[in-house]
Amino acid sequence: MTRRGAPAVPDLVGRAREGDAAAVARLITLVEDASPLLREVMAALAPHAGTAHVVGITGAPGVGKSTSTNALVAALRRAGRRVGVLAVDPSSPFSGGALLGDRVRMGDHALDPGVYIRSMSARGHLGGLAWSTPQAVRVLDAAGCDVVVVETVGVGQSEVEVAGLADTVLVLLAPGMGDGIQAAKAGILEIGDVYAVNKADRDGADRTRRELRSMLSVAERPDGAWRAPVLQTVASTGLGIDELLAEVDRHAAWLAESGELGRRRTRRARREVEAIALGALRERWGSAGAGADLDALAGRVAAGEVDPYAAADVLLEG
Amino acid sequence: MTRRGAPAVPDLVGRAREGDAAAVARLITLVEDASPLLREVMAALAPHAGTAHVVGITGAPGVGKSTSTNALVAALRRAGRRVGVLAVDPSSPFSGGALLGDRVRMGDHALDPGVYIRSMSARGHLGGLAWSTPQAVRVLDAAGCDVVVVETVGVGQSEVEVAGLADTVLVLLAPGMGDGIQAAKAGILEIGDVYAVNKADRDGADRTRRELRSMLSVAERPDGAWRAPVLQTVASTGLGIDELLAEVDRHAAWLAESGELGRRRTRRARREVEAIALGALRERWGSAGAGADLDALAGRVAAGEVDPYAAADVLLEG
C-alpha cells in the first residue's frame, strides 16, 4: 500500500499537458472538489489554454444529445483532432449526482486515447456550472484537446449557462418538439449558433426545420452577423454529422474573423472570475465570527428587525 | 396633465398597507425596476411583513399551473382570505419579457379587490428571481395578503428557486408526465411539500399518483418530518381543490409547530440578503474606474495573462 499524498501541481500539470489521461482526470477532480490547489493549477495552466474550440451542445431531454455528441466526436476523430467531452449534469442541488448512466452510451470512444470524456455534476450551488466548467474546459484545453465539447441537459437556466461557456452553441431539436412556442419558451432561439433537427428520419422533421428557420429569420441581425444554420441529422446512423461538423467549423472561422471569439471568451472569463470572487465572499460571509455572520443577519431580516438592504450593507462592510 | 414626480415612500407604503391596489402595484414596479427607492421601501415594510403564508406553485409546462392557481385563489376567496398572486416568468434573459399571455387566464379574479395579481419577469440576471421575488412577496405580505401564491414555470433551476422562496411548495403533475425518471430528472421529488396530479380525469392519473407516492416513500425521513401528500385534482372544474387547500393549510400548521417555518424564512432571507449584496458588488465591479474593472480583468484572463483566481483577488481587493 502506498500513501497517497497531495499531488505535486507542477508534475500533474506537466503530465496533463503531455496528454496523460490520469493526470487530466486528477486535475478535473480537483476542479469538482473545489480543491485549494486549484489556484496553483489554474495559474500553471493559464498560459497554455485558449487554443481549443469549445462547442456547447444542448437540447431538451430526448432529442439525442449523447448520441449526437458521440457521432460528432467520431467525426472529429476521423479528422484526426483530439477531443475532450464534458457532460455537465445540472442535477438536483439536493442529490448532487447524476441520475442516469448516460455516459455509458459514450462507450464507443472509451478506449480511444485521442478522446477524453468526463461527466461533471454542477454541484447545485449558485453559479456552480459557471464556476467549475470553464476550469474543467481549461484543463482539457491545456492538455491539448483541439475541440472541447460541453454537453448539458437542456432545461431552462442551463441553456443560458451553456451559451456563456461555449465558443459555438449547438442546439439540438427533434421532430415534433420544434413547435414554435415551445422553442421560444425554452429560450433556444437566442442561444444557438448552429441548430440540428436530429432524428430527421421521423415524421415532422421537415416541418420542425421549416418552423425553426422561419422563427430564426424573424430576428433582425446587423450586417456581417452570423446566421445560424438549421441542419437535419440522424445521429444514430451518422447521417448529416459531417455537414454538422462543417457548420461548427465554419462558425469557428467566423468567430475568429469577426472578433466575436475574443468577446465571447472575455465574457466567459468575466463570469468565471465573478463566480470565483462570489464563492470566496460566500465563504467569508458564511463563517460565523468572521465579521458579519450572514445566518444571524438573515434571522433578523426574517424577524422583521432589519430590512434586507441594511443587512446587505452590514455584510459588505463586515 | 399632471407632472408625475418621485413617489413619496411613506405615503405609498401607508396606502399599500391599507390595501390600495395602485400603491401595491407601484411598489412592485419599484422592485422590478430595482429602484434606488427600494432601500427606503423595504425599511418601511420590514416591521409589517411576515404574516402571509407563501405558497409556491410549480410544475412542467402543460400541467395546468395557471388553472390550478386560479382554482386555489377561488377557494381561498371563498374562505374570506386575501390573496396575492405573483406569476414569475423565468423567461429568456435575452428577451426579458413574458412570451405568452398566461395572465389572461387569471381573469376570473381581475375585478376582485381581495385578490392582487401580478406578473413579474425574472429579468434574467443571475439571482434575479432570488433578489426580486422575496421583495415583491414582502410588499404583498405587508399589504395584508393572508396568502401569497408564487407561480413559476417549472423548468430546471426555477424549481429550485421556488423551493427557496416559498413556505409551502406545491408541485403539479399531469397524467403521463409522472413517469419516474422524468420526475426525478426534473428534481421535483426533493422540493414538494404537497403534490397534486392535475387533469386527474385523464387516463393514467392513478398510475402517476401511485408512481409518485412510491418514489416519495423511498426517501428516508426522520420522525416528525413532513410527509408530502399526493392528491388528485381537476383544476378546470375545481375537483379536489378544497382538499388541496386543506393540505396546504395543514402544511402551514406543521411548519409553525415544527419550527421549520422560522428556518425556511431565515434561509429565504439569507438568499435575499446575499443577492442584494452580490448585486451591489456586481455594480461596483462593472464600473470602469471604480477600482477593479472586471471587464479589463476578464480580457486578461481570456488572453492567458492572468489566471482567474488572481483576477478574483484583484476584484475583491479593488
Side-chain angles (χ1 to χ4, degrees):
Chain A
M1 236 173 81
T2 56
R3 193 168 166 278
R4 194 172 177 191
V9 168
D11 175 51
L12 264 181
V13 167
R15 286 196 286 127
R17 291 202 57 219
E18 286 159 18
D20 176 339
V24 171
R26 192 71 198 269
L27 288 175
I28 296 181
T29 300
L30 294 179
V31 170
E32 279 195 315
D33 293 348
S35 161
L37 292 172
L38 271 190
R39 177 177 278 277
E40 194 185 341
V41 170
M42 290 302 142
L45 292 179
H48 307 295
T51 54
H53 186 65
V54 184
V55 179
I57 298 190
T58 191
V63 296
K65 280 188 299 296
S66 293
T67 319
S68 298
T69 301
N70 207 0
L72 201 62
V73 168
L76 286 162
R77 292 299 296 142
R78 282 195 299 275
R81 297 200 250 175
R82 296 193 63 205
V83 188
V85 177
L86 288 174
V88 179
D89 172 14
S91 58
S92 160
F94 303 94
S95 67
L99 279 158
L100 292 174
D102 277 348
R103 291 306 91 214
V104 174
R105 282 180 271 157
M106 291 296 295
D108 288 12
H109 305 290
L111 298 173
D112 180 347
V115 180
Y116 191 87
I117 298 170
R118 176 69 171 243
S119 206
M120 287 187 75
S121 79
R123 293 289 156 105
H125 54 81
L126 188 67
L129 191 54
W131 177 87
S132 59
T133 313
Q135 303 202 4
V137 167
R138 192 174 293 113
V139 170
L140 293 169
D141 184 352
C145 290
D146 299 303
V147 175
V148 176
V149 177
V150 182
E151 181 196 327
T152 64
V153 175
V155 278
Q157 197 58 26
S158 65
E159 274 164 339
V160 173
E161 295 196 358
V162 81
L165 288 170
D167 298 327
T168 297
V169 176
L170 169 56
V171 174
L172 299 179
L173 293 94
M177 309 183 62
D179 120 276
I181 296 293
Q182 286 304 327
K185 264 200 151 174
I188 65 162
L189 293 176
E190 291 93 348
I191 65 162
D193 299 306
V194 178
Y195 291 85
V197 179
N198 190 34
K199 305 187 180 181
D201 49 349
R202 297 199 183 167
D203 282 350
D206 287 335
R207 187 174 158 230
T208 299
R209 171 146 85 163
R210 210 163 46 236
E211 280 194 8
L212 188 61
R213 275 188 173 155
S214 118
M215 293 192 75
L216 288 168
S217 69
V218 170
E220 288 204 21
R221 284 183 188 77
D223 286 343
W226 174 257
R227 292 188 172 267
V230 182
L231 307 177
Q232 290 192 336
T233 55
V234 183
S236 56
T237 66
L239 193 76
I241 296 297
D242 286 336
E243 292 77 3
L244 184 60
L245 179 54
E247 288 297 323
V248 168
D249 285 342
R250 194 168 68 84
H251 185 250
W254 174 82
L255 283 173
E257 278 159 27
S258 65
E260 177 66 14
L261 185 64
R263 282 191 291 277
R264 288 197 180 194
R265 291 190 167 180
T266 297
R267 211 151 57 211
R268 194 196 310 168
R270 188 189 153 102
R271 288 166 57 107
E272 185 185 359
V273 171
E274 209 178 60
I276 291 171
L278 298 184
L281 284 172
R282 279 228 168 80
E283 222 160 90
R284 202 184 290 171
W285 293 342
S287 31
D293 179 357
L294 179 50
D295 280 323
L297 277 170
R300 295 185 59 210
V301 170
E305 293 166 20
V306 62
D307 73 88
Y309 287 88
D313 286 345
V314 174
L315 209 56
L316 291 172
E317 287 155 15
Chain B
M1 237 173 77
T2 56
R3 191 166 165 279
R4 194 173 177 189
V9 169
D11 175 52
L12 263 181
V13 167
R15 286 196 285 128
R17 293 201 56 219
E18 287 159 17
D20 176 340
V24 171
R26 192 71 198 269
L27 287 175
I28 296 182
T29 300
L30 294 179
V31 171
E32 280 195 316
D33 293 349
S35 161
L37 292 172
L38 271 190
R39 179 176 276 277
E40 193 184 343
V41 171
M42 290 301 142
L45 292 179
H48 308 295
T51 54
H53 186 65
V54 184
V55 179
I57 298 190
T58 191
V63 297
K65 280 187 299 296
S66 293
T67 319
S68 298
T69 301
N70 207 359
L72 201 62
V73 169
L76 286 161
R77 291 301 295 141
R78 281 196 298 274
R81 297 200 251 174
R82 295 194 63 207
V83 188
V85 177
L86 288 174
V88 177
D89 172 14
S91 58
S92 162
F94 302 95
S95 69
L99 280 158
L100 293 174
D102 277 349
R103 292 306 91 214
V104 174
R105 282 181 271 157
M106 292 296 294
D108 286 13
H109 305 290
L111 298 174
D112 179 347
V115 181
Y116 190 85
I117 297 169
R118 176 69 171 243
S119 205
M120 286 186 74
S121 77
R123 292 289 157 105
H125 54 80
L126 187 67
L129 192 54
W131 177 88
S132 59
T133 314
Q135 304 202 5
V137 167
R138 191 174 294 111
V139 170
L140 293 170
D141 183 352
C145 289
D146 300 303
V147 175
V148 176
V149 177
V150 181
E151 180 196 327
T152 64
V153 175
V155 277
Q157 197 57 25
S158 66
E159 273 164 339
V160 174
E161 296 196 358
V162 80
L165 289 169
D167 298 326
T168 297
V169 176
L170 168 56
V171 174
L172 299 179
L173 293 93
M177 308 183 63
D179 120 276
I181 296 293
Q182 286 304 326
K185 264 199 150 175
I188 64 162
L189 293 176
E190 291 94 347
I191 64 162
D193 299 306
V194 177
Y195 291 84
V197 179
N198 190 34
K199 304 188 180 179
D201 48 350
R202 296 201 183 166
D203 282 351
D206 287 334
R207 185 173 158 232
T208 298
R209 170 146 85 163
R210 210 162 46 235
E211 280 194 8
L212 187 61
R213 276 188 174 154
S214 118
M215 294 192 74
L216 288 168
S217 69
V218 170
E220 289 203 20
R221 284 183 189 76
D223 286 343
W226 174 257
R227 292 186 173 270
V230 182
L231 307 176
Q232 291 193 334
T233 54
V234 183
S236 57
T237 66
L239 192 77
I241 295 297
D242 285 336
E243 291 79 1
L244 184 60
L245 178 54
E247 288 297 324
V248 167
D249 286 343
R250 195 168 66 84
H251 185 252
W254 174 83
L255 283 173
E257 279 160 27
S258 65
E260 176 67 13
L261 186 64
R263 284 190 290 275
R264 288 198 180 193
R265 290 190 167 180
T266 297
R267 212 153 55 212
R268 193 197 311 169
R270 188 189 152 103
R271 288 165 56 105
E272 186 185 359
V273 171
E274 209 178 60
I276 291 171
L278 298 185
L281 284 172
R282 279 228 168 80
E283 223 161 88
R284 203 183 289 171
W285 294 341
S287 30
D293 178 358
L294 180 50
D295 280 323
L297 277 171
R300 295 184 59 208
V301 171
E305 293 166 18
V306 62
D307 73 89
Y309 287 88
D313 286 345
V314 175
L315 209 55
L316 292 173
E317 285 154 17

